[in-house]
Amino acid sequence: MSTEQSIALEKTALGSIVLGAIADDFTGATDLANNLVRGGMRCLQVIGVPQETIDLQDVDAVVIALKSRSCPVDEAITDSLTALEWLRGQGARQLFFKYCSTFDSTDKGNIGPVADALLDRLDASQTVMVPAFPVNGRTVYQGHLFVGDRLLNDSGMQYHPLSPMQDADLVRVLSRQTTHPVGLLSHSVLSQGASAAFDHLSALAEQGTRHVICDTLDEQDLDILAEATVLMPLVTGGSGLGQALPAQYRAQGWLKPITEPGRLNPASGSMLVLSGSCSTATLAQVADFLARHPNSGFALDPLSLAESDRQLEQALVFARQRLSEQTPVLIYASADQEKVSAAQQALGVARAGALVEEALSQLAVTLVNEGVGQLLVAGGETSGAVVSALGISTLRIGEQIDPGVPWTQAPLEGREAPLSLALKSGNFGGVDFFTRAFEVLA
Ligand SMILES: Nc1ncnc2c1ncn2[C@@H]1O[C@H](COP(=O)(O)OP(=O)(O)O)[C@@H](O)[C@H]1O
Ligand SMILES: O=C(O)[C@@H](O)C(=O)COP(=O)(O)O
């Protein structure tokens, strides 16, 4: 650890929580919170930077969910720094900047600029970049990100509506987003263990290498990385590292023995799925749901939404009728690459996305008010829009449905029973996710 790192650590080592995390989207935040809970931490997820005092007495980790993945760079930096200051105010010993396991970003950012701003504010000289999430097939080798057996740029992510990933070489991708040197911790070093990894990071820090992309093939590599980086003021990456860090915090004596995660209240109310994700896994989940539940799905189209409110009203009528039959209902804008491109060409990328997010948010608010109690939202940006519209401020983490996606519960103003809510990352979950999720809850 460099002197700068130890000074920064000292500054953040005074208070109660162990880990403070800043997630660049809501599904990513839930994914990380889920893995921290699975690692034995008592974790609270908050939506945006809390404006009121929160009781953190029985909390080891706070994950702040931001909607900063696809917004303008300056906004992402400001929001992330505000979150950082709040977390430091709670005494976080380590900070974690959570982004997507598929490194979703553009040449402008926001991963590089936000990481730089956080490092500057912490007076720290280096951080690691560990996007891998092996249990969901995201691995990194020689700095190249794989999804299953495909390179990132051949995985479907090259067609993402907001952050198309057309380059799998993360050193090169990040080098376009920062003026600082980007290095690699290769698997050949990692396989020699935590002290070899630590020495390599220190040597790179001495040469001025600020960001280090880390190869990661499996859970064992994540354990090694967690051990090598536990004393860094700031780590960055996907939720895989989040599952490995708690054991290291425990080894440092920072955590109490493993606690049973608290159970959520029994779910109640009708079942609704809102999907604005166009990722490959979601498209298959939509198709599977429609095959299992004929006549229980309603498709939204941004081109129609742009014309008038008619389609939104029709969706509402449809949902009300089906929900009264006590079966899960799906309302989706999820569409294949061709349809998404057509909408984007006609309306612009931002407007097409915003129309869908706005429509799904309005439906969520109305239908939750009318009795939906079990809500599944597919898509990171989509979840950000829906959860914000519902005015939710905190989430308790419950049972995992599939790796990276737990059920959560959120208190809602003016309502006795909390809302059961699952926020599904675009590419996570088995093909029958939209059906099985409700069975898990039952
Ligand atoms: N049919 C469509 N045409 C254009 N954009 C769409 C369509 N359906 C959804 N979108 C937008 O695509 C984006 C998908 O992003 P997101 O919700 O983060 O999903 P994922 O988790 O799969 O990345 C959202 O902004 C959403 O509003
Ligand atoms: O790390 C991951 O892959 C997820 O936690 C995540 O951030 C996914 O984002 P979306 O696919 O946009 O939901």
Side-chain angles (χ1 to χ4, degrees), residues 107-402:
D107 286 353
K108 289 191 192 146
N110 290 337
I111 295 176
V114 169
D116 276 330
L118 296 174
L119 283 169
D120 286 344
R121 185 61 64 88
L122 288 165
D123 287 330
S125 56
Q126 187 186 68
T127 189
V128 284
M129 304 253 157
V130 189
F133 192 12
V135 70
N136 270 347
R138 280 80 164 139
T139 56
V140 180
Y141 185 62
Q142 302 295 8
H144 288 66
L145 180 48
F146 289 82
V147 178
D149 63 357
R150 312 311 300 165
L151 280 164
L152 177 64
N153 55 300
D154 191 25
S155 69
M157 281 305 295
Q158 67 272 35
Y159 301 127
H160 191 278
L162 305 177
S163 44
M165 298 304 293
Q166 283 155 358
D167 189 356
D169 180 342
L170 296 189
V171 173
R172 198 162 53 198
V173 170
L174 191 65
S175 296
R176 291 194 284 263
Q177 299 180 22
T178 174
T179 52
H180 294 278
V182 180
L184 175 68
L185 172 55
S186 71
H187 195 259
S188 58
V189 176
L190 199 62
S191 59
Q192 294 166 43
S195 30
F198 180 88
D199 290 347
H200 185 74
L201 290 171
S202 305
L204 287 175
E206 267 170 38
Q207 293 161 21
T209 303
R210 200 167 206 230
H211 305 283
V212 185
I213 303 287
C214 298
D215 277 0
T216 318
L217 299 187
D218 52 28
E219 313 285 327
Q220 197 186 336
D221 291 345
L222 287 171
D223 291 339
I224 294 170
L225 284 168
E227 189 179 341
T229 60
V230 63
L231 296 180
M232 270 190 171
L234 174 72
V235 290
T236 83
S239 68
L241 185 62
Q243 192 162 348
L245 279 168
Q248 300 306 322
Y249 298 150
R250 209 163 282 114
Q252 296 289 329
W254 296 348
L255 282 184
K256 297 203 184 100
I258 290 197
T259 49
E260 269 294 301
R263 293 190 79 76
L264 301 183
N265 299 349
S268 59
S270 44
M271 297 166 271
L272 177 65
V273 183
L274 296 174
S275 178
S277 161
C278 302
S279 296
T280 312
T282 305
L283 294 182
Q285 288 155 354
V286 169
D288 182 87
F289 181 92
L290 295 175
R292 284 171 198 270
H293 309 275
N295 307 321
S296 289
F298 187 99
L300 296 174
D301 170 15
L303 292 167
S304 305
L305 292 171
E307 272 171 24
S308 73
D309 286 343
R310 197 155 160 264
Q311 193 174 57
L312 191 55
E313 283 155 14
Q314 287 170 338
L316 206 49
V317 171
F318 174 87
R320 282 178 177 137
Q321 189 203 342
R322 291 280 169 214
L323 287 167
S324 67
E325 292 164 18
Q326 294 301 316
T327 51
V329 170
L330 166 67
I331 302 180
Y332 62 101
S334 313
D336 61 23
Q337 166 59 14
E338 232 170 83
K339 285 192 189 137
V340 171
S341 284
Q344 290 182 333
Q345 269 167 24
L347 302 166
V349 174
R351 178 137 191 266
L355 279 163
V356 169
E357 291 179 29
E358 177 60 28
L360 292 176
S361 300
Q362 281 187 35
L363 288 167
V365 170
T366 307
L367 294 171
V368 165
N369 266 333
E370 293 178 7
V372 165
Q374 306 170 58
L375 176 62
L376 197 169
V377 188
E381 293 297 321
T382 310
S383 295
V386 167
V387 169
S388 305
L390 287 169
I392 287 167
S393 57
T394 57
L395 293 180
R396 282 177 58 209
I397 305 298
E399 192 158 352
Q400 175 174 286
I401 307 163
D402 271 337

Side-chain angles (χ1 to χ4, degrees), residues 26-87:
F26 288 31
T27 43
T30 315
D31 173 17
L32 176 61
N34 178 51
N35 272 357
L36 293 171
V37 168
R38 293 171 76 76
M41 289 182 94
R42 297 164 305 170
C43 178
L44 181 71
Q45 181 174 338
V46 297
I47 307 301
V49 179
Q51 302 300 316
E52 291 161 11
T53 311
I54 298 186
D55 180 3
L56 294 178
Q57 269 188 44
D58 295 320
V59 174
D60 302 312
V62 174
V63 179
I64 297 186
L66 298 179
K67 201 168 182 301
S68 57
R69 184 174 292 174
S70 308
C71 69
V73 176
D74 289 350
E75 202 178 309
I77 290 177
T78 306
D79 290 353
S80 305
L81 288 177
T82 309
L84 176 77
E85 291 304 346
W86 189 89
L87 291 165

Side-chain angles (χ1 to χ4, degrees), residues 25 27-28 31 69 98-101 104 379-380 424-428:
D25 83 344
T27 43
D31 173 17
R69 184 174 292 174
K98 160 73 177 70
Y99 42 77
C100 194
S101 61
D104 297 17
K424 190 199 80 73
S425 294
N427 271 316
F428 285 179

